Amino acid sequence: MSYRNMTLSEKKRIYRKIGAVVAAAAILCVMLVIALRPADGGQADGRTTTQPVEGMIEVDGVKYVPKKNIETYLFMGIDNMGKVQKVTDYEGAGRCDVVMLMVRDLTDGTYRTISLDRNLMVEQESLKPDGTSLGTSVAQLSLAHENGDGMEISCQNVVKTVSNFLGGQKIDGYAAVNMGAIGTINNLAGGVTVTIEDDFSKVDKTMKMGETIKLTDEQAVHFVHDRYYVGDETNVQRMKRQEQYKEGLKKNLGEKCSEDNKYPLTIYDALGDYMVTDINSQKFSKLALLVLKDKDAGTVSIDGTESVDDLGFVEVQPDEESLQKAILTLFYKEYK
């Protein structure tokens, strides 16, 4: 009998049979999917899949994820012996001779520091004093501060430059202090004790090689700031002196802050005329006291190849593998 000649009841019976077949096929498909689906997030062949984690990277077959509970602060020493002031031309903003980053890990109560060579060749933005961009170029890191107004615009340009150099890491605060404040800092610390390992005879005959002395405020300027006519006149050697001074300074100021928890405010106020920062006094004081309680997890460094350009300026090309290792140490942890 043709479908056209069937009665309505016969047609309904056929529809029911077709519906039952379709339903049975659908149920079979669902059962197959359930049967073949990997159990516990694994793959069908028994291997375990790794759920993607935000920011995960893989280096040499090892997976890393960003540290979640960290704070990063940038500290700059500006090659300017005067008080801070806004500039309106390209002269006077000063270059950053000291560039140090501190990364606090709030999870385990530790911190690490890294000092970046002022001569590192990094991509940076060239700015007019009013902040207008002139484009980007690769130049010595120290020049990032010289671009701008000598105040917030210059500091923010260094922050941006360092952040980009370190893979776009967030920097939570900065402080730039003119080198003219070295004597004040040394005085606040009660004089820092160091061992003289370079020849200072051309700038101060009282600073004799091999001797361990407590620096006067004037000697501290020579020790931390001077490069020409000292030792081999390289920035690498000066950075070593700055590291030694930093350790003694940290010890002395730590003792004073432990004796008087308001001493960080004394430091902040004393540096006021020489400092540009986006960290207010209360935050500065709190941070200083917290760092005293944190454990120093050590310093990180980035290797580089030094050369001299046609104009006699030193250039340091960062080693990419060393840079990557530093970024991993400071900002990532192994994914397990």
Side-chain angles (χ1 to χ4, degrees):
M1 180 183 295
S2 67
Y3 179 79
R4 181 176 299 177
N5 295 326
M6 288 181 181
T7 64
L8 180 60
S9 60
E10 290 173 329
K11 290 179 179 181
K12 287 181 178 180
R13 284 196 298 271
I14 291 177
Y15 291 153
R16 284 195 293 270
K17 289 179 180 180
I18 293 175
V21 172
V22 171
I27 292 171
L28 179 62
C29 288
V30 171
M31 290 176 66
L32 285 171
V33 169
I34 294 174
L36 295 176
R37 185 179 63 189
D40 300 325
Q43 295 177 330
D45 59 4
R47 291 177 297 172
T48 301
T49 60
T50 301
Q51 295 297 323
V53 177
E54 184 178 359
M56 177 184 285
I57 61 175
E58 185 172 330
V59 179
D60 296 331
V62 180
K63 292 182 174 64
Y64 298 88
V65 291
K67 295 177 182 177
K68 294 295 185 181
N69 202 19
I70 62 174
E71 294 179 348
T72 304
Y73 298 94
L74 179 65
F75 301 100
M76 297 163 270
I78 309 304
D79 189 15
N80 191 325
M81 300 306 292
K83 298 178 181 180
V84 296
Q85 60 179 349
K86 189 172 185 177
V87 299
T88 56
D89 54 35
Y90 293 102
E91 298 294 329
R95 301 178 181 182
C96 45
D97 274 356
V98 177
V99 184
M100 187 191 79
L101 205 70
M102 179 180 70
V103 181
R104 294 185 65 224
D105 190 333
L106 280 64
T107 301
D108 59 8
T110 63
Y111 70 90
R112 293 181 184 272
T113 57
I114 180 171
S115 292
L116 302 176
D117 195 314
R118 70 186 298 278
N119 295 317
L120 276 172
M121 299 300 289
V122 297
E123 185 172 0
Q124 58 186 271
E125 198 164 10
S126 296
L127 303 173
K128 290 183 178 181
D130 64 0
T132 302
S133 176
L134 298 173
T136 59
S137 62
V138 175
Q140 285 96 338
L141 174 59
S142 63
L143 299 178
H145 187 273
E146 196 170 48
N147 283 286
D149 62 351
M151 302 289 285
E152 287 81 5
I153 293 175
S154 291
C155 291
Q156 289 162 5
N157 196 43
V158 181
V159 168
K160 181 179 179 180
T161 300
V162 172
S163 172
N164 290 340
F165 176 65
L166 296 175
Q169 302 301 325
K170 178 186 176 184
I171 294 177
D172 297 290
Y174 68 80
V177 180
N178 282 4
M179 289 292 191
I182 294 174
T184 300
I185 294 171
N186 191 71
N187 185 268
L188 287 166
V192 174
T193 299
V194 299
T195 299
I196 306 300
E197 298 177 347
D198 293 307
D199 182 3
F200 280 86
S201 61
K202 293 181 180 178
V203 296
D204 190 330
K205 294 185 182 300
T206 65
M207 301 172 67
K208 299 177 181 179
M209 285 186 64
E211 290 189 354
T212 297
I213 63 173
K214 178 183 285 190
L215 296 171
T216 66
D217 297 345
E218 183 178 350
Q219 288 173 332
V221 175
H222 294 315
F223 193 84
V224 175
H225 171 266
D226 291 0
R227 179 164 61 92
Y228 296 117
Y229 308 112
V230 177
D232 61 7
E233 299 188 346
T234 64
N235 187 58
V236 172
Q237 198 61 27
R238 179 172 62 176
M239 287 177 67
K240 291 180 180 178
R241 294 196 301 273
Q242 290 167 349
E243 281 294 321
Q244 184 187 172
Y245 186 85
K246 183 189 75 175
E247 290 304 309
L249 180 67
K250 181 176 67 176
K251 176 179 178 295
N252 288 16
L253 291 181
E255 291 173 354
K256 289 184 176 294
C257 291
S258 296
E259 295 169 0
D260 178 5
N261 61 12
K262 293 184 179 179
Y263 202 70
L265 293 175
T266 300
I267 298 171
Y268 190 93
D269 292 340
L271 297 179
D273 290 338
Y274 294 91
M275 180 169 65
V276 178
T277 181
D278 64 350
I279 306 171
N280 63 40
S281 60
Q282 294 300 318
K283 174 67 174 178
F284 180 91
S285 179
K286 181 180 178 181
L287 179 62
L289 295 175
L290 286 172
V291 170
L292 287 177
K293 298 178 181 178
D294 289 346
K295 179 182 178 182
D296 187 348
T299 59
V300 179
S301 61
I302 297 173
D303 298 330
T305 303
E306 186 175 295
S307 62
V308 180
D309 68 11
D310 295 337
L311 298 176
F313 293 107
V314 176
E315 298 179 349
V316 176
Q317 298 292 343
D319 178 82
E320 291 300 322
E321 185 175 337
S322 179
L323 171 59
Q324 185 178 66
K325 183 179 178 181
I327 293 173
L328 290 176
T329 301
L330 291 170
F331 305 107
Y332 286 83
K333 62 180 180 179
E334 188 174 337
Y335 179 74
K336 298 178 181 180

